[in-house]
Amino acid sequence: MSSVARTAPEVPLPPGYTLVEAPHPASLDDADAWAYHAVADVGREHELEVHGYDDLALRPRDVLSGMDHQEYAAKRRFVVVRSAAARALIADGVPPAVHDVVAYLFVLQPATSNAHLSDAFAVVRPQERGRGIGTPLLALAERLAADAGRTVLLSNTSHGTEPPPGPDALAATTGAGRVPADAPGPRFLRAHGYVLEQVERHSVLDLPAAPAGLDAHRAAAREYAGPDYRVHTWTDEVPEEWLDQVAVLFTRMSTDAPTGGVEFGEDPWDARRVRTWVGEQAEKRNGFLVSAAEHVPTGTLAAFTVFLYPRDRDDFAFQEDTLVLREHRGRRLGMLVKVANLDALARERPATRRVHTWNAQENDHMLAINVALGFRPAGVWAAWQRRTTSEDGD
Ligand SMILES: CC(C)(COP(=O)(O)OP(=O)(O)OC[C@H]1O[C@@H](n2cnc3c(N)ncnc32)[C@H](O)[C@@H]1OP(=O)(O)O)[C@@H](O)C(=O)NCCC(=O)NCCS
């Protein structure tokens, strides 16, 4: 089947540019994989612009595997291609060169919960901005949202630094956290009616951590937790007997982590979804470490924390979810599982030099743990939202 079989919807791009819906190849070696390679390239350029490094950039295999998995969200990816390259593609099947792809749009709509949400992210290569490419991409995302009956539109921006309070800073509606008001993303989203609902602090922990500090945190956390808690650490797997309980912890992440004004409701997980997540990490060639605290008298998993990392880049890792069940809070279980996971990371990946993490700026308890462990601020990630008029006028 030709890669242009799926014609993209009509959008009013400026002259010289054509929209193409990214074909979905079976493998990244296929000719049809050009769009996913280009998405990764555009995204990487944006990461270098924002942070000066590419730790956070999606790789082509993340794009492929992400699009392979639509069990829990419907996803679409579009690319903007110079028209001459698009004509060659349509007429002769010649894939565009990566530099002929100047922008992409990603649209994600949750499928098993949050049926009111539609998430969009557009990136235009810096040298192509201000020509009216981003605006029709966002309009397309909004049209797709309306077609699917979604009434709350989400988007996000990333920034390498958080500006101090003042006229150059825009504060989140939570009152915690700011973004540079004049950066392209905030200007663009504000102009299109989006509200800055939440700012997350991006923090980095430089490794190896000072052993004395870790020893002190480990000892204090063990003492507070007492003898009833036992820590399990799993590498690249979640054992069958714990799948249901890990699903509960992932579900509670969606309700217990602060979301500011973002209308994100419970996102239920079950054992099958945990299995899917594990499989997806293998496909992406990611490794992961889970440390979980079991409350031994009841056999309950009371807390967990997750590290995720690409296998082919051992210099960095991501601190993903951390959660302590409500009824087990106040016993330093967050610190207990985090230190256990850092110990495991030091054993399994001694070459890792930094860990990235994101926490809501109003999430004082989680930030306090991370600051105590030595995480330093490295920028912000911002959640934007626009509510459209509900059409339930029956
Ligand atoms: C946000 C982003 C996607 C906008 O892309 P873009 O192609 O520059 O968007 P547009 O050209 O449609 O609009 C941007 C600006 O150009 C202006 N513009 C629109 N059409 C124009 C045209 N035909 N000629 C000149 N300027 C134009 C807009 O008025 C807007 O002005 P502003 O900066 O004062 O707000 C781009 O800046 C980007 O990739 N940023 C990084 C990623 C990001 O933060 N994305 C989050 C948002 S989804």
Side-chain angles (χ1 to χ4, degrees), residues 246-365:
V246 168
V248 171
L249 294 166
F250 273 121
T251 304
R252 290 276 73 82
M253 272 308 292
S254 70
T255 54
D256 290 19
T259 54
V262 177
E263 290 180 23
F264 185 68
E266 186 177 80
D267 184 26
W269 284 62
D270 56 13
R272 183 176 166 168
R273 188 165 177 182
V274 178
R275 262 191 227 108
T276 303
W277 179 83
V278 170
E280 207 173 325
Q281 302 321 319
E283 285 167 27
K284 290 179 175 169
R285 276 180 266 140
N286 287 335
F288 66 89
L289 279 167
V290 177
S291 286
E294 177 191 1
H295 181 243
V296 179
T298 56
T300 308
L301 274 198
F304 84 143
T305 191
V306 182
F307 279 138
L308 189 71
Y309 35 77
R311 290 186 190 290
D312 56 359
R313 289 275 308 268
D314 60 3
D315 48 335
F316 64 88
F318 298 111
Q319 166 69 70
E320 302 274 308
D321 293 359
T322 299
L323 181 116
V324 181
L325 287 182
R326 251 167 221 289
E327 48 281 32
H328 294 274
R329 289 189 192 155
R331 295 189 177 87
R332 300 217 183 156
L333 295 182
M335 185 60 98
L336 186 75
V337 292
K338 281 207 164 191
V339 173
N341 231 22
L342 279 168
D343 289 342
L345 189 68
R347 278 195 309 272
E348 303 246 344
R349 293 193 6 132
T352 301
R353 288 293 163 264
R354 55 197 175 277
V355 177
H356 297 273
T357 197
W358 289 262
N359 308 104
Q361 281 287 36
E362 67 274 26
N363 195 349
D364 296 331
H365 294 303

Side-chain angles (χ1 to χ4, degrees), residues 107 109 118 140-153:
V107 178
Q109 296 174 343
S118 187
L140 168 60
E142 295 183 352
R143 202 164 81 213
L144 296 174
D147 290 349
R150 311 275 159 150
T151 52
V152 178
L153 309 169

Side-chain angles (χ1 to χ4, degrees), residues 19 39 41 50 78 128 131 201 206 226 232-233 237 248-249 275 303 374 381 391:
L19 186 77
V39 163
D41 190 69
V50 171
F78 301 90
E128 306 280 345
R131 300 179 181 171
R201 185 189 305 173
D206 297 304
H232 301 267
T233 296
E237 60 150 2
V248 171
L249 294 166
R275 262 191 227 108
W381 183 92
E391 286 180 293

Side-chain angles (χ1 to χ4, degrees), residues 14 46 49 120-125 128-136 138 155-159 184-189 191-192:
H46 178 50
E49 170 196 14
F121 186 64
V123 192
V124 179
R125 289 196 192 271
E128 306 280 345
R129 292 187 189 151
R131 300 179 181 171
I133 296 175
T135 297
L138 192 63
S155 190
N156 62 83
T157 58
S158 306
H159 310 275
R187 274 178 70 151
F188 177 77
L189 288 172
H192 290 92

